[in-house]
Amino acid sequence: MVRTARELLEDATAKLAPDPHANRLLPLIARGAAQRSTLAALALEQRHVMDADRRAFLHLAESPDVEPQSAAFFALLAEGEVLAQDRLGAFADARGVDEARASACEPLADCRTVVRRPILQCGGEGHPARVAW
């Protein structure tokens, strides 16, 4: 049986789409039930992720093999990370994250959410490679 391009696309999308129930934190945030300390941890980790993304996008934009339109796109994504990082400061402040706590935060090596305890662990290590890939 020969499959159409649409069937192949739908099959691939179904297999690669993330499980909507895989992230237990998002429903908590949506209904306002996420703990303040969990949101503070998210803000702390996002500082590292956003910076890593910005560096990865700049690297891609400056690659000698990239076409001008693609370079402009990646540069725009890098600018978006700077804007998001600016907004993140207000979010972190509202969650009680001060500069001392932010400076002391080391990114975690893995990425997982623990919802029974007020801990979010989502490290930025290795993230630039995944973005650049």
Side-chain angles (χ1 to χ4, degrees), residues 49-104:
V49 171
M50 288 176 182
D51 190 49
D53 285 353
R54 183 189 56 76
R55 288 191 318 268
F57 293 140
L58 286 175
H59 175 75
L60 291 169
E62 296 165 359
S63 173
D65 298 330
V66 73
E67 295 178 9
Q69 299 90 343
S70 297
F73 173 73
F74 289 122
L76 183 65
L77 290 177
E79 290 173 25
E81 293 298 325
V82 172
L83 178 62
Q85 210 162 20
D86 289 344
R87 302 289 195 275
L88 183 65
F91 178 78
D93 290 345
R95 284 4 172 235
V97 176
D98 60 13
E99 188 56 39
R101 183 175 174 194
S103 296

Side-chain angles (χ1 to χ4, degrees), residues 113-127:
T113 305
V114 181
V115 272
R116 281 181 268 182
R117 291 177 280 146
I119 299 171
L120 173 86
Q121 298 175 333
C122 187
E125 295 178 12
H127 186 74

Side-chain angles (χ1 to χ4, degrees), residues 19-35 113 115:
D19 178 0
H21 304 292
N23 188 326
R24 297 175 291 166
L25 180 59
L26 291 179
L28 291 175
I29 293 171
R31 55 178 200 267
Q35 294 185 18
T113 305
V115 272

Side-chain angles (χ1 to χ4, degrees), residues 6-57:
R6 176 162 301 284
E7 290 169 335
L8 287 171
L9 178 61
E10 288 171 356
D11 184 48
T13 302
K15 287 179 181 174
L16 296 175
D19 178 0
H21 304 292
N23 188 326
R24 297 175 291 166
L25 180 59
L26 291 179
L28 291 175
I29 293 171
R31 55 178 200 267
Q35 294 185 18
R36 183 181 172 104
S37 59
T38 301
L39 297 173
L42 173 64
L44 287 167
E45 290 296 330
Q46 283 301 307
R47 288 178 61 238
H48 297 287
V49 171
M50 288 176 182
D51 190 49
D53 285 353
R54 183 189 56 76
R55 288 191 318 268
F57 293 140

